[in-house]
Amino acid sequence: MATANGTFEIDMTPTDSGLGERVGHFTFTKTFLGDLAATGAGIMLSAGDPANGSAGYVALETVSGSLNGLDGSFALQQFGTMHGGEQALQIAVVPGSGHGALEGITGVFNLTVDDDGTHRYELNYEI
């Protein structure tokens, strides 16, 4: 299994979910730096009460660029929850979403956020 590491910046924009105030809807773009030199774009739905520590979200995003020198694109699927001080986050490469030199990619995307707000990733993948 190969590994890619680096950082990314994200820009999120709230939009109308069409489901009322109880469901948040956001569009976002990302710029990935490091072993994954790419751009991303996606949508996210969220619900719950994040201010009080209980919420969940799902997101899909497309990623286009170069992964360790291989040009192509793929999609990521995210599922996150928080409750009672516990957080869980799963981000996976969507099976069948790879194109170009990344056709057939599978993997898991791990995310950490530094105290200064820097978003770091580790992508463990196979092609």
Side-chain angles (χ1 to χ4, degrees):
M1 185 162 283
T3 301
N5 293 286
T7 62
F8 68 88
E9 296 179 2
I10 184 168
D11 182 30
M12 294 189 64
T13 304
T15 61
D16 182 8
S17 71
L19 299 170
E21 294 178 14
R22 297 185 65 152
V23 175
H25 181 267
F26 302 85
T27 60
F28 60 89
T29 58
K30 290 181 181 174
T31 302
F32 295 92
L33 304 170
D35 298 330
L36 176 61
T39 57
I43 57 171
M44 179 175 75
L45 294 172
S46 65
D49 187 2
N52 287 319
S54 295
Y57 84 94
V58 294
L60 284 172
E61 72 180 285
T62 57
V63 178
S64 240
S66 178
L67 174 60
N68 284 325
L70 300 173
D71 294 336
S73 64
F74 58 92
L76 293 172
Q77 178 178 330
Q78 303 177 34
F79 175 82
T81 58
M82 65 177 165
H83 183 68
E86 299 284 324
Q87 293 188 27
L89 178 60
Q90 299 172 356
I91 307 174
V93 175
V94 176
S97 68
H99 293 281
L102 301 177
E103 185 173 346
I105 189 171
T106 59
V108 175
F109 186 98
N110 297 300
L111 161 68
T112 58
V113 181
D114 294 345
D115 290 339
D116 67 1
T118 301
H119 289 73
R120 298 190 181 279
Y121 68 84
E122 178 182 274
L123 175 59
N124 297 302
Y125 67 96
E126 292 183 347
I127 299 177

